[in-house]
Amino acid sequence: MSTMRNKVQLIGNVGNEPKITNLENGNKLARFSMATNEYYRNAQGEKVQSTQWHYVVAWDKKADIIEQYAHKGKEIAIEGKLISRSYTNEMGVKCYVTEIVASEILLLGSRNEDSSVNEIPVKPEAVDTQENGSVATSSKEETTTVQKGNTSKGSTRKNASKSNQKAA
């Protein structure tokens, strides 16, 4: 249980085009907003949608995946940790920000979308095809799992959940 102290899992849609920054030290940073929706019925029996917005940060290989395949509106799953920070803006006002630093990214949605996961160019030596059909790419300290798209939207979420369970 000690590994679950600061852990966030979200499934939602990319809210804006990711902003990619290449840092001087060679690292790559991707920042984007993500919308998650919750549906419920109010006292009058009407279906109500509640949208929550989250700010996500992805580094290096994950930033590469976000840059290439996660465009505005794309359904994705993110796992990571919450961080809070503050800064002073140009007008001298102290601002507080809470962000999710992504440690795992799953691209969801149908195969017919423009950013199809099945077209990811990956070097053969860096690929580990898992028995559940997902593709894992690895570097020295990080592993990124990319879920292949499914034909039916309902099964995509189930397969993504199974992938998370097997990865754990």
Side-chain angles (χ1 to χ4, degrees):
M1 287 292 216
S2 64
T3 60
M4 294 179 55
R5 293 184 190 263
N6 185 0
K7 186 175 183 179
V8 177
Q9 293 179 331
L10 299 173
I11 295 176
N13 298 87
V14 176
N16 58 353
E17 286 298 320
K19 181 181 176 187
I20 307 300
T21 306
N22 291 303
L23 303 175
E24 292 176 6
N25 63 4
N27 291 342
K28 185 180 269 190
L29 171 66
R31 292 181 180 274
F32 61 96
S33 62
M34 182 175 172
T36 56
N37 296 312
E38 180 180 359
Y39 300 92
Y40 62 93
R41 298 214 178 262
N42 63 14
Q44 292 77 29
E46 301 165 329
K47 188 175 180 181
V48 178
Q49 175 182 333
S50 173
T51 302
Q52 297 295 314
W53 289 93
H54 315 275
Y55 295 101
V56 182
V57 176
W59 290 92
D60 300 324
K61 296 254 185 208
K62 293 166 203 68
D64 288 335
I65 291 171
I66 294 296
E67 179 180 30
Q68 291 178 5
Y69 304 106
H71 303 287
K72 183 176 180 177
K74 175 74 176 165
E75 185 178 29
I76 62 173
I78 296 288
E79 182 176 299
K81 65 180 180 177
L82 285 175
I83 62 162
S84 296
R85 60 184 177 86
S86 64
Y87 64 94
T88 304
N89 67 11
E90 60 275 356
M91 296 177 5
V93 177
K94 192 164 188 173
C95 299
Y96 297 91
V97 179
T98 299
E99 299 171 318
I100 299 163
V101 177
S103 60
E104 191 90 20
I105 297 169
L106 293 173
L107 302 175
L108 305 175
S110 69
R111 290 183 180 190
N112 298 331
E113 292 185 38
D114 290 340
S115 57
S116 176
V117 175
N118 296 325
E119 299 171 9
I120 295 176
V122 179
K123 295 177 185 175
E125 64 273 8
V127 174
D128 175 27
T129 304
Q130 300 170 356
E131 61 187 52
N132 65 356
S134 65
V135 177
T137 60
S138 303
S139 68
K140 289 180 184 175
E141 296 181 6
E142 58 186 48
T143 300
T144 304
T145 303
V146 179
Q147 181 72 30
K148 290 184 178 180
N150 294 309
T151 54
S152 67
K153 190 171 183 178
S155 65
T156 302
R157 290 185 186 211
K158 291 177 187 173
N159 288 341
S161 296
K162 289 179 184 176
S163 175
N164 283 343
Q165 291 171 356
K166 287 184 180 182

